[in-house]
Every structure is written in C-alpha cells, then in structure tokens.
Amino acid sequence: MASNRLSPRDLTDHLLAGISPGARQDIVAGSCQRTLRAAQVLFRTGEAAEQLFLLRKGRVQFSRLARTGRQIVMGILVPGDVFGLGTILAQHVHYIGTAESLESGEVLVWTRETMQALTGRHPQLSENALRVALHYVAVFAERHESLVTVSAEQRLCRALTRLGDSTGTRTRSGIEVRIKNEQLASLADVSPFTVSRLLKRWERHGVITKSRGIVHIVCPEKLLLD
Amino acid sequence: MASNRLSPRDLTDHLLAGISPGARQDIVAGSCQRTLRAAQVLFRTGEAAEQLFLLRKGRVQFSRLARTGRQIVMGILVPGDVFGLGTILAQHVHYIGTAESLESGEVLVWTRETMQALTGRHPQLSENALRVALHYVAVFAERHESLVTVSAEQRLCRALTRLGDSTGTRTRSGIEVRIKNEQLASLADVSPFTVSRLLKRWERHGVITKSRGIVHIVCPEKLLLD
DNA sequence: CGATGTATTGATGTGGATCAAAATAAGTGG
DNA sequence: CCACTTATTTTGATCCACATCAATACATCG
C-alpha cells in the first residue's frame, strides 16, 4: 500500500507459490508457451473457460463490454498475474471478462484438461488460485468503495498511483506509465474529459508531465492526497 | 438469472459440493455449531481471518465501513453461503468485510487450524472455495458494471430482484423481502431518499407494497425493465 | 406516552457527464 | 518530405440525475 514497488515481481509469486522446484517443473511442463502480438485477444467475456494463463512478459488488459456498448476496464495485468481461473474448476464456467494484450508479450497457457490433472497431483495449485481470486475480490471491493465514497479526482489519483506501482517504469525524472486517457478513465470510473482536465491541472502543478499515451509521474508523493 | 428461485438451496451446494458423504461427515465433524442472536458481529473488517463460516439458518449482512464513516453493504448472505474464505489459506490474511447477523440463526464454524488439516485430507474443499470466490468476483464485476452504466432506478430494481430471489419468502400475494430502505440503498448504491421515492412510485404503480422494514413484491415481472 | 429509529416529502444544489468542435499528434503511403 | 487519414486529446458550454439538506410524519416499543 505504502510505496511504489517497481521491482519486477517474482513470476512464481502467485500461481506457483509454495510449490517445490520439482513440482513446479511438472506444472510448467504441462503448459505451453505462447507469444503475444499487440492487441491480441486471448479470450472474450462469456466464452467457456478452457485456458488458464500466466503472464510472463508484456501487459494484458482485462475488460468487459457493458450492454450499453461501453467498455469497462477491470484491470491491467502485468507479468506474474494469472487469469482465466475458472479453468481450474471441475465444472464448466465462463470467462467474466475479455483479455487482450496491450503490447507484445509472452504467456504460459494450460488447458482445462491438463489443469484437472495437475491440481490432482498438486493441490497447492487450488489454494494458490484461491488466494489470487480472493485478491481480486479485495481489489474490487476497494474500487467499489472508492467509487461510492470519494471524488473523481481522488479516484483518478488512486488509479494512476496503482498503475505506477504495477506497470510503471522508473526514469531519471520520476515514473513513466504507458497508458492512454481513455483507459485511465475507465479504470478510475471517470469520463475521459475529466481525465484530460485533471491531468492538465496536475501538470500545471508540476506533479506529472504528459504526452500522448504516456503519463510521467514526477512527484508521486504529491499525488496521494487521501 | 431468469426466474425467482425461492427454493431453499441445498446447504451442500457450495462448500461441500462434490464431496462424498463420508468425507462430508469428516469435515462437518471438524466444525462447531454456533447459534446466532440478531445483530451479532461474527468478525470485522481487517481482523485476522481465523474462522470460516457456513451459514445454516438466518441471514448475515456482509458490509464494510468506508473511511468516510459510511457503511457499504456488500451483500446479504443466506443459508448455504460461505464466508471468511481467507481462513483456508496457509498464509494469514484479513477479513475484507464485517459479518453480522440480521436475525437469529445458526452457523457452522471452522478454525484455521482445522481447515488446514481438512483441506489436506480433502483437496476438493479448496476447489469449492475457489468456486465461491470466483462467484463473488463475478457478482462484484456485475454490480460495478451496473453502477457505471445504468440508472439509479435500474440498480435498485436489480438489487431488489436479487434480494427477492435469495432472501424472499413466497406469500399468497407475491414475494416478501425483509429489508429496510437503508440497506437497500447501500446494496443498490443509491441514497436512501431515492430508495424511498422509487419504492413509493412503484407502489403507486402496483408493483410492490411497502411497510416498515418489508417490501412485498407483488408483480416481479413488472420490476424487471432492463 | 415519550422516546427512538425509520420513512417520507419538498426544496435546493452540484459534480461531473455529455455534447460539439477544434487542435494536436502519429501514422501511411506516394 | 508532404498531403492525407486516423487516433487521441483538449476546451468550453450546457445540462441533469441524483445527492444533500431540512423538516415532518409515522411506527414501534419499553
């Protein structure tokens, strides 16, 4: 919660946590590696969950299309993140969002079939998946709380800070976040117009600098005005 | 999604699904039964998750106190529902909400310790917990989508319908839901004033009738105007 | 019957969405 | 390198759904 991480997370933090090297090898052997091009769709909302993904390189946007046609970005996934958790369940479920790569990258993919076998041999996998799922629940709960209690400005601020934490890259003059206004808007549950105006204001105050598709957080501490 | 259920759900739907009678006995034997009075707090947001609950009778409100002091109701739990899932994890986590009984009832309780042992013997438990957790994720995602795409009226409508489904009781003249405006307001993410006004309007249209703490849904089909 | 929690009702205000239009940047291909 | 297209961002004007506030009414109960 406190400070910007910015250190590449250990890829085995999530799905493979607490699993012995041997078992880990067995599990990874059951996956196949896939290379991602930019803007490639891995799966869509409502499709049967047949593949589990572990992101290794690149970024993936997890979103959902509302019946109004409006796209809701639920999160930007980064290396180490796991998605498509429904795949692990014995009964068939459906993806609750659409996953698409924002840039070129790399994923490990497991099919439902393999996962069934693997969770049989390594029950720890289920538990790890549970941890991840509960984490998502917590994230949603907080986002929801933000939405109903704080102002648009504070929400944008939090969204940007979180992004800086997870997908930001350190530069000499702060943190660079590759994100466009529209995604930011959706993540903060704010209109793109408001995003533009607020970023402009922060820029005038010297907290950030902005160019198309990129936000430089110059002064992370000034951003957090909770 | 389609019709009102109103049938008491099998208590073994969730946590104990797909588990053999023998194993089931072993698991239940590890729990202790606890009777609930009304307005009893089972745990609070932020406390260490040390107990897993399975609700057998009564209703439990799962909520969260925003820093603004405002209470956010995340859901009304009904018999069969499981909560405190973090208890199952090996590493310590914290409850993300506060659980308190709305009326007298009954729960089965497992301690962290017992759960560790039980999930070792019955890995199916982890998977079931995962299913429940993913369900919660889906519920949140939908609620969030509602919040950012549809009107207050539609949100209230959905919230009430959902409640009718889960906690409603069938009467000669429709479905009775024991809920007060303020809870309804929080569940639908709407102000209590708006709730009052909308319910009044629906009452004039003959869709519901209302008395203190109770909403009678007279005409469920008229409610759904998606 | 006070007393306390719950619900109603009307009046007022406003945060931020929406709309329309233009400006800017980034391709793309000749 | 320029003309042309397309995506992104900006800016100002307008608007409205809903919250908020204030006051009152209604239930329920000890």
Side-chain angles (χ1 to χ4, degrees):
Chain A
M1 199 60 65
S3 70
N4 288 346
R5 175 157 32 83
L6 283 184
S7 53
R9 175 170 46 188
D10 182 352
L11 292 192
T12 58
D13 248 13
H14 286 26
L15 191 60
L16 304 177
I19 290 182
S20 71
R24 205 170 272 187
Q25 200 147 30
D26 180 37
I27 294 167
V28 172
S31 75
C32 74
Q33 185 156 165
R34 214 167 112 192
T35 306
L36 301 178
R37 295 181 309 281
Q40 191 172 349
V41 173
L42 300 178
F43 55 78
R44 293 186 187 281
T45 311
E47 289 177 3
E50 289 291 339
Q51 296 187 309
L52 174 71
F53 297 84
L54 168 58
L55 186 56
R56 306 203 66 173
K57 283 188 198 152
R59 293 184 307 160
V60 166
Q61 172 176 286
F62 198 73
S63 66
R64 170 178 242 263
L65 212 54
R67 274 165 292 292
T68 66
R70 176 170 163 180
Q71 187 185 56
I72 299 172
V73 181
M74 300 165 72
I76 306 287
L77 305 174
V78 297
D81 280 337
V82 197
F83 51 107
L85 289 173
T87 306
I88 297 181
L89 299 175
Q91 63 186 177
H92 284 87
V93 298
H94 302 264
Y95 292 123
I96 63 163
T98 296
E100 73 185 294
S101 56
L102 291 175
E103 57 211 33
S104 60
E106 228 174 85
V107 283
L108 294 186
V109 190
W110 289 265
T111 65
R112 235 174 75 80
E113 230 170 25
T114 359
M115 274 319 284
Q116 307 290 337
L118 284 174
T119 52
R121 293 205 290 280
H122 313 289
Q124 180 71 28
L125 277 173
S126 283
E127 178 172 332
N128 287 349
L130 175 60
R131 182 183 15 266
V132 173
L134 288 177
H135 171 74
Y136 287 145
V137 173
V139 168
F140 262 103
E142 292 202 357
R143 180 165 170 181
H144 184 265
E145 181 179 321
S146 290
L147 186 45
V148 297
T149 56
V150 311
S151 71
E153 176 162 21
Q154 293 183 75
R155 294 203 302 277
L156 182 60
C157 172
R158 289 181 192 184
L160 187 53
T161 304
R162 210 187 323 267
L163 275 174
D165 254 18
S166 60
T167 82
T169 59
R170 161 131 268 141
T171 69
R172 52 215 144 296
S173 59
I175 300 161
E176 172 177 310
V177 185
R178 295 198 47 235
I179 194 87
K180 48 186 77 164
N181 288 4
E182 188 154 357
Q183 296 172 305
L184 220 33
S186 188
L187 283 169
D189 301 306
V190 155
S191 88
F193 307 97
T194 301
V195 170
S196 172
R197 284 184 244 265
L198 288 174
L199 290 182
K200 220 357 117 57
R201 181 149 96 223
W202 295 347
E203 192 167 24
R204 277 198 298 274
H205 291 16
V207 182
I208 64 162
T209 59
K210 172 116 185 58
S211 63
R212 192 160 283 217
I214 295 175
V215 178
H216 271 276
I217 307 176
V218 177
C219 204
E221 55 282 8
K222 274 200 174 176
L223 207 50
L224 279 166
L225 30 98
D226 281 48
Chain B
M1 200 59 64
S3 70
N4 289 346
R5 175 159 33 83
L6 283 183
S7 54
R9 173 168 49 186
D10 182 351
L11 294 193
T12 58
D13 249 13
H14 286 26
L15 191 60
L16 303 178
I19 290 182
S20 71
R24 206 170 271 187
Q25 201 148 28
D26 180 35
I27 294 167
V28 172
S31 74
C32 74
Q33 184 155 163
R34 213 167 114 194
T35 307
L36 300 179
R37 295 181 308 282
Q40 191 172 348
V41 173
L42 299 178
F43 55 78
R44 294 187 186 280
T45 311
E47 288 177 4
E50 288 292 339
Q51 297 187 307
L52 174 71
F53 296 85
L54 168 58
L55 185 57
R56 306 202 65 173
K57 283 188 196 149
R59 293 184 306 160
V60 166
Q61 171 176 286
F62 197 74
S63 67
R64 168 178 245 263
L65 213 53
R67 273 164 294 291
T68 66
R70 175 170 164 179
Q71 186 184 58
I72 299 172
V73 180
M74 299 164 73
I76 306 287
L77 304 174
V78 297
D81 280 335
V82 197
F83 50 107
L85 288 173
T87 306
I88 297 181
L89 299 175
Q91 63 187 176
H92 284 86
V93 299
H94 302 262
Y95 292 123
I96 63 163
T98 296
E100 74 185 294
S101 57
L102 291 175
E103 58 212 33
S104 59
E106 230 175 82
V107 284
L108 293 186
V109 190
W110 289 266
T111 66
R112 234 175 74 79
E113 228 171 27
T114 359
M115 275 318 285
Q116 307 290 336
L118 284 173
T119 52
R121 292 206 290 281
H122 313 289
Q124 180 72 26
L125 277 173
S126 283
E127 178 171 332
N128 286 349
L130 174 60
R131 182 183 17 266
V132 173
L134 288 177
H135 171 74
Y136 287 145
V137 173
V139 168
F140 262 102
E142 292 202 356
R143 179 165 171 181
H144 184 264
E145 181 179 322
S146 290
L147 186 45
V148 297
T149 57
V150 311
S151 71
E153 176 162 21
Q154 294 183 75
R155 292 202 304 276
L156 181 60
C157 173
R158 290 181 191 183
L160 186 53
T161 304
R162 211 188 322 268
L163 275 174
D165 255 19
S166 60
T167 83
T169 59
R170 162 130 267 143
T171 69
R172 50 215 147 295
S173 59
I175 299 159
E176 172 176 311
V177 184
R178 295 198 47 233
I179 194 87
K180 47 185 78 164
N181 287 6
E182 188 153 356
Q183 297 171 306
L184 220 32
S186 188
L187 283 169
D189 301 307
V190 156
S191 88
F193 307 97
T194 301
V195 171
S196 172
R197 284 183 245 265
L198 288 174
L199 289 182
K200 222 356 120 56
R201 180 149 96 223
W202 294 347
E203 193 167 24
R204 277 197 298 273
H205 292 15
V207 183
I208 64 162
T209 60
K210 170 111 186 61
S211 61
R212 191 160 286 216
I214 295 174
V215 179
H216 270 277
I217 307 176
V218 177
C219 203
E221 55 282 7
K222 274 201 175 176
L223 208 49
L224 279 166
L225 30 97
D226 282 48

